[in-house]
Amino acid sequence: AAASAAAARSSGGASGGGGADGVSSDAGAGGRAPATSTFWFLLHALCCLVSLFLGFRFSRLLFFLLFSTTALYSSTSSSSSSAVLRATTTTTTTTTTTTTTTNTFTLSFAAGSNPPPSNPSNHSAALDDAAGHTQSHVVVGRHGIRIRPWPHPDPVEVMRAHRIMERVQEEQRRWYGVKEPRHVLVVTPTYSRAFQALHLTGLLHSLRNVPYPLTWIVVEAGGTTNATASLLARSGLTIVHIPFPDRMPHDWADRHATENRMRLHALRVIRERKMDGVIVFADDSNVHSMELFDEVQKVQWMGAVSVGILAHTGTADQPRLSEEDKQNMPLPVQGPACNSSGQLAGWHTFNSLPFTGKTATVVGEAAPVLPRGLEWAGFVLNSRMLWKEADGKPDWVKDLDAVGENGEEIENPLILLNDASSVEPLGNCGKKILLWWLRVEARADSKFPQGWVIEPPLEVVIPAKRTPWPETTTELSSELVDTKPDQEDRRLSRTN
Amino acid sequence: MGTAAAPAPERAKQRRSSHLWKKALLHFSLCFVMGFFTGFAPSSSSSWRSNSGQPHHQLAASHLTVNQVSSSLVPASPESDAVSNGAVVDVDDVGEGDDERRRRMLIVVTTTRSGGGERRRRRGELLRLAHTLRLVRPPVVWVVVEPAADAAATAEVLRGTGVMYRHLAFRPEENFTSAAAEAHAQRNAALAHVEKHRLSGVLHFADAAAVYDTSFFDQIRQIEAFGTWPVATMSAGEKKVVVEGPLCSESKVTGWFSRDFNDGTTRAVKYNTETDSNPAGAAGTRAHTIDVSGFAFNSSILWDPERWGRPTSLPDTSQDSIKFVQEVVLEDRTKLKGIPSDCSQIMVWQYTMPMVAAQTSTPKTHNRR
Amino acid sequence: MRWVLAAIAILAAACFFLGAEAQEVRQGHQTERISGSAGDVLEDDPVGRLKVYVYDLPSKYNKKLLKKDPRCLNHMFAAEIFMHRFLLSSAVRTFNPEEADWFYTPVYTTCDLTPSGLPLPFKSPRMMRSAIELIATKWPYWNRSEGADHFFVTPHDFGACFHYQEEKAIGRGILPLLQRATLVQTFGQKNHVCLKDGSITIPPFAPPQKMQAHLIPADTPRSIFVYFRGLFYDTSNDPEGGYYARGARASVWENFKNNPLFDISTDHPPTYYEDMQRAVFCLCPLGWAPWSPRLVEAVVFGCIPVIIADDIVLPFADAIPWEEIGVFVAEEDVPKLDSILTSIPTDVILRKQRLLANPSMKQAMLFPQPAQAGDAFHQILNGLARKLPHGENVFLKPGERALNWTAGPVGDLKPC
């Protein structure tokens, strides 16, 4: 390698010299002319700079050729360049492999600035052998730990990496995902209340991540409100916002029934508009895994998924549950049960026994809310089964008009079927929980700021030296009132 | 160099000119050689450190600190270096907005509590937060701290979301008597990670049970040092919606308030700007802490306190980082930024579960009293 | 006027010069080379193409060692044990040494663990030597070729140099008695004393069942850009740093610990295998030796291996298109790792991932129990079959001697 470097260097010198020749002969011509000395000087300087630059670039080129034997990411062409190198190396090697060969390569700069390998005998052996033996450019011994001086991480590269990952994920979906995705129709009953913003925002974010074409059918009890509309509008999703005339009742059982009627209302809209796709029933308080939306693509007519029931058990006393039981109690699941051959065999229902007498009856009561029967959220439908006429619509599907006509409660979509055994269990036969069901609400009469903007700006209060945070309770504790001499620093202001 | 000297000079003028241009030639050659050897100098990409036997970590650490400062203040372009080193850099980022370059990294830390009920709820909650974070423009690093025993099951949920997260399995040294103590220890574990890796960005502790508006994350990217905002806390099963947060004027925090929308009470405290501008004045309030859900801060305070005008060897930083941060945020009010500028828009909602004496399950989010 | 022209000429020359160089650089980084033949070689069936005779050694050379310490079945060098088991029941095995193409000596040289489970090869040379002496006296086949038609599995750090420290390994060199034999080893570095010409480089052993158990669906979105778990500094063996991994691992840590894209740490999480499956790039830097089990893990889990080990010789390089599935970064370019990785065109990345998804590539990296078509055992046999028929220089003339039985360190000459 040293020989090739020398050769390259000499050829570099020659070409560099040639370049300088050209420059100087022209400059010489200039010198004869009675030109201003400043121009001459400038040209001289320019040429000096040019040759400096040329020299620099040339050495970099040489450097590049010499030391970049490992490809950055490519293979063929760089291996060809390294093959050239190898060739030059092998010309100076003998074919015998001896055991005394050491792998030392002294870079002109590395040797100068890097401490030599820690084993001097080794090093000298290498030098002795250098003339006739195989060499690798790997140094045996201690190396410097390279730390780059420029700022990092580089934001541009970070963004580039994110784009790469985006493409990779996109490609993964293309390879493994559904080839011709069906439209997803999400049906959500909602109403304006304290927890609406929290729940609906969460659902909205989930839906925005769904990688399939999606229409969100939101049915709002008590008519559409601006607050809901503006929240939905910000999502950028395709939205059908339908008003529902009735107000949401305060009783949990009634609310449940009303929500069912709202869902049925949405189904009628789908039927009227002949919307085509897979219907997913998403309550605003549900949390969905993205896998659910992959699974629903498989549905032929009606599918069922397992729902994890998060009945909060935060009530004061639960005599039936010891702490240990609670630790070991698996997440209650509602959904399809399969037999060993993967056919629908029955349903896992929520065991409400431990909660007897402890559940909430009114919205916002401080007690767990349990699902009533099978939740709609656990079912997905092909919208075509709702249409008046559709190709291949099975005869075990009832006509939507025949359902719920007399105002009876529709507990779950199974009522749409004459034969519930045709339901397709999804999510590895119901073994996989694809969504979580949790009902938390504030008391129905809870007030909350409109649009979650606090206005008017809070009135100015007496200046304080201290930050009251976080002892800000609704009432000043008596201890504070009694013991703090500077209590005038703060003021409790009642606005109504 | 033969050709250059070819014409045989006869006249003195010509001789002089030939002399002149030999000189020029010499200059050029010198320059060329100089350039040649400059090119052979160790590439600027590597800085060779002497093996003086000192711990390398420390050396490297100080080195990095300097770089970090410059990187976060001046988004300099490294391309020039890279190109001159012969590295292949596609300079194809024509459409790269300044915005993208300047977008700060977000470090979102989520702690999880052990306990049966919590564990059951965790997957759903983390999933919801993951979906939100998936919508936030990069760069975002999500650090999830979790008791080691549960980590594998949660990882299954998280990795399906496609969010870039770091999962820290938490192995506590002690058994925690309260959820607050556990959360505290987990936050310290997360901060230790940030400190060790010297991650630089805006750090926020996001509660898995909280719901965020996506614009919130864009807002907190604007934070230079510390930031705070109003948070709505709703109590499940109660008639209680409380908004707590800073009083702001043009992003300057002028005080704090807490308003209960149902009993209509508002408590507020305003700083006296004349007498209280001195941060030392607030030093007496060490006992007070700021709730973690309501603030974000520049993570470099953890590993580069000097830059923030603080003594380096605070025992707090290593032992109890989160306490240290909470104190610093309150002390250095001048660096505190209110979000959004008038702190009136609520972008964070969280809820507390109905809890009586908390003997059956751990308290949900925040025991503020 | 002339000067202006001259200046233009110079600039033009400069441009030409620089342009030529730029051309050079660009050529150096073109990638795409479509070659579909790799898979064919991987799917070769060695059965019928070679016959292997397995020497029946006393159990003190193999089974007894394993009985003494069953942990030998789980470390990175366990290939030697599984290769033995595989050959015993393989279709290429012959019981007639006269018709054998290759002779195999089952010695478990790495099955000598310290109490903490580290396999250290202090006894290995003596054991190997003793086994060779035994077969040379008991059977006539060794002396016929002095080992040129014998192969040995030596999966230690530096193969048959039998030392875990490179300098010592180089000092020792390959055990003199093995000079004519074919070595099947994990170690591979070009032009290295411990890499004999004609050696077969194999992947290190990684537990196949365990990896299988951690497989996650292939559609799990890859959300980590760069992943690495392992040491950056080996402070106990290399307190000053810079010797371990030739400083490359330390450089990775110092330059990229604060980079959000680099998920690097010394912690070994319970989800290590799963995390590799959600990463785009997995770093495979050298450690004490250039090879690492991460190579196997990366290929099996479809994570593009970023190989940082100058002049490494990769396993089955004649059958696996490493350049096309992996990324090679020179040790000195580690500080530029982020620029290098982010400037790879996405199409190239996607192509590498497609190639990595190829099951035959994964199969060739594993030593499954029982053996399966196309696995690493079969690749080893393929490699041996490709060396057939034996050249003329394999068999010695009567009376000819090539080996020096007394060469090597004195310590090695002691009886086992």
Side-chain angles (χ1 to χ4, degrees):
Chain A
S4 80
R9 199 175 296 204
S10 68
S11 77
S15 78
D21 284 346
V23 173
S24 52
S25 63
D26 285 317
R32 273 198 302 276
T36 53
S37 61
T38 45
F39 187 75
W40 159 237
F41 181 75
L42 276 175
L43 189 69
H44 183 91
L46 181 81
C47 294
C48 269
L49 275 175
V50 167
S51 32
L52 185 79
F53 186 66
L54 284 178
F56 179 78
R57 295 303 296 185
F58 184 76
S59 64
R60 298 307 304 185
L61 171 68
L62 210 67
F63 184 82
F64 175 81
L65 277 175
L66 272 178
F67 304 124
S68 69
T69 48
T70 319
L72 290 186
Y73 56 84
S74 78
S75 44
T76 49
S77 45
S78 89
S79 65
S80 76
S81 82
S82 66
V84 174
L85 260 183
R86 287 267 162 265
T88 58
T89 316
T90 44
T91 50
T92 60
T93 59
T94 59
T95 44
T96 50
T97 321
T98 65
T99 50
T100 49
T101 313
T102 22
N103 303 276
T104 306
F105 188 90
T106 41
L107 301 183
S108 57
F109 74 88
S113 49
N114 196 23
S118 52
N119 187 342
S121 66
N122 200 4
H123 189 58
S124 60
L127 290 179
D128 294 343
D129 290 347
H133 291 304
T134 316
Q135 290 179 21
S136 152
H137 76 233
V138 173
V139 188
V140 177
R142 205 164 298 285
H143 295 248
I145 296 165
R146 293 175 177 84
I147 297 183
R148 59 181 185 184
W150 64 81
H152 54 285
D154 177 10
V156 174
E157 273 162 12
V158 170
M159 292 315 295
R160 229 189 275 167
H162 275 99
R163 275 200 293 275
I164 289 175
M165 281 193 282
E166 230 166 77
R167 268 303 306 282
V168 165
Q169 294 189 4
E170 196 181 293
E171 197 73 2
Q172 281 183 293
R173 277 198 297 275
R174 228 164 51 88
W175 292 344
Y176 305 105
V178 188
K179 292 293 172 269
E180 279 166 23
R182 291 149 82 183
H183 213 94
V184 180
L185 305 167
V186 181
V187 171
T188 303
T190 189
Y191 69 106
S192 177
R193 63 199 192 274
F195 270 66
Q196 189 197 26
L198 184 146
H199 287 324
L200 212 54
T201 306
L203 177 62
L204 186 148
H205 291 164
S206 297
L207 295 182
R208 276 179 65 187
N209 279 299
V210 174
Y212 303 106
L214 183 142
T215 302
W216 193 10
I217 301 159
V218 182
V219 188
E220 188 167 7
T224 55
T225 59
N226 286 340
T228 312
S230 68
L231 188 67
L232 298 178
R234 272 193 291 159
S235 71
L237 295 163
T238 313
I239 290 186
V240 181
H241 192 177
I242 305 171
F244 191 75
D246 299 1
R247 297 194 72 83
M248 193 63 88
H250 292 171
D251 186 85
W252 272 114
D254 292 347
R255 177 179 160 182
H256 200 265
T258 308
E259 281 178 351
N260 288 345
R261 285 192 289 129
M262 290 162 82
R263 293 189 189 104
L264 212 57
H265 185 67
L267 294 185
R268 296 221 161 86
V269 170
I270 290 171
R271 174 189 171 96
E272 273 163 36
R273 301 193 188 176
K274 278 199 117 181
M275 295 167 95
D276 193 7
V278 185
I279 302 167
V280 174
F281 298 99
D283 302 350
D284 53 13
S285 53
N286 291 161
V287 180
H288 301 84
S289 106
M290 282 303 119
E291 218 182 323
L292 171 79
F293 296 95
D294 299 331
E295 280 291 309
V296 302
Q297 295 284 337
K298 298 178 189 163
V299 167
Q300 185 144 31
W301 292 105
M302 186 191 281
V305 296
S306 285
V307 183
I309 306 293
L310 299 169
H312 63 80
T313 51
T315 38
D317 54 333
Q318 285 183 329
R320 283 158 211 268
L321 290 178
S322 71
E323 184 60 32
E324 195 159 324
D325 283 344
K326 277 158 55 63
Q327 289 284 338
N328 300 327
M329 193 168 78
L331 175 74
V333 174
Q334 190 182 73
C338 288
N339 58 22
S340 54
S341 57
Q343 300 291 308
L344 182 73
W347 301 92
H348 291 295
T349 50
F350 184 75
N351 175 19
S352 59
L353 204 64
F355 297 94
T356 312
K358 302 287 174 209
T359 59
T361 51
V362 179
V363 170
E365 198 178 340
V369 184
L370 305 179
R372 302 166 65 85
L374 291 170
E375 280 293 321
W376 281 71
F379 292 93
V380 288
L381 312 178
N382 182 341
S383 70
R384 287 176 187 239
M385 73 179 257
L386 305 173
W387 295 3
K388 272 211 166 55
E389 276 155 23
D391 289 342
K393 182 172 155 182
D395 52 4
W396 40 263
V397 173
K398 285 184 198 164
D399 192 81
L400 190 60
D401 289 341
V403 175
E405 272 298 87
N406 308 321
E408 74 263 23
E409 189 181 349
I410 311 298
E411 276 286 344
N412 57 54
L414 289 177
I415 206 157
L416 293 166
L417 307 181
N418 289 317
D419 177 13
S421 65
S422 318
V423 172
E424 307 146 41
L426 298 174
N428 193 16
C429 236
K431 288 191 198 77
K432 207 148 192 190
I433 296 167
L434 297 179
L435 73 141
W436 283 264
W437 186 96
L438 169 69
R439 285 286 161 97
V440 279
E441 295 292 353
R443 242 168 69 180
D445 54 348
S446 234
K447 289 190 200 116
F448 61 96
Q450 268 305 309
W452 294 95
V453 175
I454 316 160
E455 52 183 1
L458 291 148
E459 65 274 34
V460 173
V461 211
I462 294 174
K465 275 196 181 126
R466 289 163 191 265
T467 53
W469 196 291
E471 285 100 337
T472 45
T473 52
T474 44
E475 280 119 16
L476 267 180
S477 74
S478 57
E479 185 206 336
L480 272 175
V481 176
D482 292 344
T483 57
K484 294 276 164 32
D486 54 348
Q487 55 138 317
E488 64 275 8
D489 280 356
R490 38 185 101 196
R491 191 186 74 176
L492 189 71
S493 73
R494 291 188 176 263
T495 44
N496 29 342
Chain B
M1 327 231 155
T3 51
E10 281 180 14
R11 282 170 291 176
K13 189 183 172 191
Q14 265 199 337
R15 200 171 292 131
R16 202 173 64 237
S17 103
S18 126
H19 176 74
L20 236 168
W21 70 242
K22 261 184 192 155
K23 205 172 106 191
L25 203 76
L26 187 76
H27 284 179
F28 301 150
S29 317
L30 272 175
C31 282
F32 184 83
V33 169
M34 236 167 79
F36 188 83
F37 281 107
T38 319
F40 258 116
S43 59
S44 56
S45 62
S46 47
S47 70
W48 299 88
R49 286 191 283 122
S50 62
N51 294 287
S52 52
Q54 273 176 294
H56 282 262
H57 312 271
Q58 278 180 17
L59 267 178
S62 60
H63 194 98
L64 277 180
T65 310
V66 176
N67 291 335
Q68 204 46 58
V69 174
S70 58
S71 85
S72 55
L73 296 181
V74 195
S77 153
E79 258 119 323
S80 48
D81 304 57
V83 168
S84 67
N85 286 327
V88 189
V89 178
D90 283 349
V91 194
D92 61 358
D93 300 287
V94 206
E96 211 78 65
D98 234 24
D99 167 54
E100 273 195 355
R101 285 169 160 264
R102 215 156 286 159
R103 211 185 288 156
R104 271 200 193 85
M105 179 160 92
L106 286 181
I107 305 165
V108 180
V109 176
T110 299
T111 57
T112 56
R113 282 151 295 258
S114 53
E118 300 287 346
R119 194 183 308 148
R120 279 198 298 280
R121 201 160 35 227
R122 187 179 303 150
R123 287 187 174 197
E125 287 177 348
L126 286 173
L127 196 57
R128 184 173 53 192
L129 183 55
H131 290 159
T132 303
L133 291 175
R134 188 86 167 80
L135 299 171
V136 178
R137 291 184 296 170
V140 182
V141 176
W142 187 23
V143 180
V144 181
V145 193
E146 196 170 29
D150 310 336
T154 306
E156 198 184 328
V157 174
L158 293 183
R159 64 178 170 247
T161 61
V163 176
M164 191 162 86
Y165 68 89
R166 293 185 182 186
H167 206 157
L168 302 188
F170 179 65
R171 288 184 186 81
E173 286 151 19
E174 53 192 307
N175 277 333
F176 296 106
T177 48
S178 74
E182 185 180 13
H184 196 83
Q186 289 197 359
R187 283 181 196 127
N188 279 326
L191 294 185
H193 177 87
V194 171
E195 202 173 331
K196 187 177 176 206
H197 283 261
R198 301 186 154 242
L199 292 175
S200 177
V202 177
L203 195 152
H204 168 58
F205 290 96
D207 195 302
V211 170
Y212 293 84
D213 194 302
T214 42
S215 63
F216 166 79
F217 294 97
D218 282 332
Q219 291 277 350
I220 65 170
R221 273 187 218 275
Q222 314 300 320
I223 292 170
E224 300 281 347
F226 315 112
T228 182
W229 53 82
V231 178
T233 307
M234 296 176 276
S235 306
E238 282 180 76
K239 185 185 169 185
K240 197 166 169 206
V241 174
V242 179
V243 175
E244 287 177 319
L247 288 169
C248 307
S249 145
E250 288 164 353
S251 290
K252 280 260 176 296
V253 175
T254 56
W256 302 93
F257 78 95
S258 164
R259 179 187 273 189
D260 186 321
F261 282 85
N262 285 291
D263 67 6
T265 54
T266 301
R267 286 196 52 217
V269 174
K270 200 164 160 43
Y271 292 116
N272 184 333
T273 38
E274 282 82 47
T275 61
D276 202 30
S277 55
N278 174 16
T285 60
R286 278 238 163 175
H288 300 286
T289 53
I290 181 165
D291 190 273
V292 291
S293 64
F295 75 91
F297 62 97
N298 190 319
S299 65
S300 62
I301 184 88
L302 291 169
W303 41 265
D304 190 13
E306 275 173 282
R307 184 178 146 200
W308 299 92
R310 309 207 139 253
T312 26
S313 54
L314 271 183
D316 280 348
T317 47
S318 56
Q319 294 299 314
D320 199 345
S321 309
I322 179 65
K323 194 169 148 223
F324 164 72
V325 169
Q326 282 172 319
E327 283 167 9
V328 168
V329 170
L330 283 183
E331 282 171 30
D332 232 344
R333 197 163 50 74
T334 45
K335 292 186 185 135
L336 196 56
K337 181 183 164 83
I339 285 172
S341 61
D342 60 349
C343 301
S344 63
Q345 178 70 51
I346 290 156
M347 294 176 290
V348 185
W349 298 269
Q350 54 189 23
Y351 61 91
T352 56
M353 287 299 228
M355 212 58 62
V356 185
Q359 76 266 54
T360 51
S361 148
T362 48
K364 181 63 207 141
T365 35
H366 312 281
N367 32 0
R368 284 213 173 140
R369 52 201 81 164
Chain C
M1 198 59 207
R2 258 165 156 187
W3 302 344
V4 177
L5 277 175
I8 288 168
I10 294 160
L11 285 177
C15 285
F16 178 76
F17 183 46
L18 295 179
E21 185 191 346
Q23 196 78 32
E24 205 84 44
V25 171
R26 222 173 293 128
Q27 265 182 2
H29 302 289
Q30 271 171 7
T31 37
E32 288 301 287
R33 180 171 66 89
I34 310 295
S35 90
S37 62
D40 309 343
V41 183
L42 285 175
E43 277 144 32
D44 280 352
D45 186 5
V47 178
R49 291 163 57 212
L50 78 165
K51 288 199 165 66
V52 176
Y53 180 77
V54 180
Y55 283 119
D56 188 18
L57 292 193
S59 62
K60 71 164 182 172
Y61 292 104
N62 41 56
K63 296 200 184 89
K64 233 178 217 167
L65 293 166
L66 187 59
K67 199 174 274 172
K68 205 178 97 198
D69 201 338
R71 288 181 298 179
C72 297
L73 284 170
N74 297 316
H75 61 63
M76 307 186 279
F77 310 140
E80 65 180 359
I81 297 166
F82 291 110
M83 189 67 195
H84 181 209
R85 291 184 177 180
F86 164 75
L87 281 173
L88 288 180
S89 58
S90 169
V92 302
R93 183 183 179 191
T94 176
F95 291 92
N96 176 8
E98 294 300 331
E99 64 165 21
D101 303 302
W102 287 103
F103 293 83
Y104 167 65
T105 315
V107 216
Y108 299 169
T109 50
T110 67
C111 190
D112 177 26
L113 308 188
T114 61
S116 60
L118 280 175
L120 293 179
F122 299 125
K123 284 189 197 151
S124 309
R126 268 181 283 157
M127 194 192 297
M128 185 60 93
R129 196 186 159 83
S130 150
I132 293 171
E133 275 169 356
L134 183 79
I135 57 168
T137 48
K138 210 170 156 192
W139 285 275
Y141 310 105
W142 175 272
N143 291 331
R144 206 170 66 176
S145 65
E146 290 206 315
D149 56 352
H150 287 55
F151 70 91
F152 292 84
V153 184
T154 53
H156 215 287
D157 280 311
F158 290 95
C161 284
F162 295 123
H163 207 284
Y164 63 98
Q165 283 174 334
E166 188 168 16
E167 281 174 7
K168 298 256 173 64
I170 289 171
R172 293 182 52 89
I174 293 172
L175 190 75
L177 289 185
L178 292 175
Q179 260 174 40
R180 288 175 55 82
T182 292
L183 299 178
V184 175
Q185 59 184 18
T186 40
F187 172 76
Q189 179 161 317
K190 280 175 206 151
N191 306 321
H192 197 280
V193 182
C194 301
L195 182 67
K196 215 163 80 63
D197 275 348
S199 295
I200 295 176
T201 311
I202 59 165
F205 175 78
Q209 283 91 350
K210 198 174 152 204
M211 293 173 90
Q212 191 72 36
H214 286 267
L215 277 182
I216 59 172
D219 62 348
T220 306
R222 293 199 179 259
S223 52
I224 298 176
F225 193 63
V226 177
Y227 189 72
F228 175 79
R229 287 291 180 279
L231 286 181
F232 299 103
Y233 293 92
D234 188 344
T235 38
S236 53
N237 292 309
D238 176 28
E240 286 176 55
Y243 189 83
Y244 177 59
R246 301 181 201 134
R249 289 194 183 200
S251 181
V252 167
W253 172 253
E254 298 301 349
N255 287 299
F256 302 108
K257 64 181 173 189
N258 64 346
N259 193 319
L261 301 170
F262 281 67
D263 197 334
I264 56 174
S265 160
T266 49
D267 304 332
H268 199 89
T271 52
Y272 174 66
Y273 285 155
E274 286 86 350
D275 286 342
M276 281 190 110
Q277 290 168 80
R278 62 179 188 98
V280 178
F281 293 109
C282 290
L283 299 187
C284 306
L286 71 162
W288 285 108
W291 57 274
S292 130
R294 287 175 192 81
L295 269 175
V296 177
E297 291 159 353
V299 170
V300 170
F301 294 132
C303 181
I304 298 171
V306 179
I307 296 154
I308 307 170
D310 291 355
D311 286 344
I312 188 171
V313 177
L314 289 157
F316 309 132
D318 47 351
I320 294 178
W322 285 103
E323 283 85 7
E324 292 183 46
I325 59 175
V327 175
F328 290 80
V329 177
E331 286 163 27
E332 64 165 2
D333 285 336
V334 166
K336 290 183 276 188
L337 198 53
D338 53 351
S339 314
I340 290 168
L341 295 180
T342 53
S343 56
I344 305 176
T346 323
D347 293 340
V348 177
I349 293 175
L350 296 178
R351 179 162 184 273
K352 286 178 193 294
Q353 288 183 326
R354 275 198 301 275
L355 287 171
L356 278 168
N358 180 352
S360 64
M361 212 91 79
K362 301 182 200 300
Q363 189 74 296
M365 287 291 111
L366 293 173
F367 296 91
Q369 304 294 310
Q372 291 159 13
D375 62 12
F377 300 119
H378 289 82
Q379 303 308 328
I380 295 172
L381 294 184
N382 278 334
L384 292 169
R386 268 178 235 133
K387 291 181 187 295
L388 297 176
H390 287 305
E392 285 167 10
N393 55 348
V394 162
F395 299 104
L396 301 172
K397 293 182 198 88
E400 191 185 356
R401 280 287 159 265
L403 290 182
N404 177 3
W405 286 76
T406 53
V410 188
D412 293 358
L413 303 179
K414 283 188 218 151
C416 178

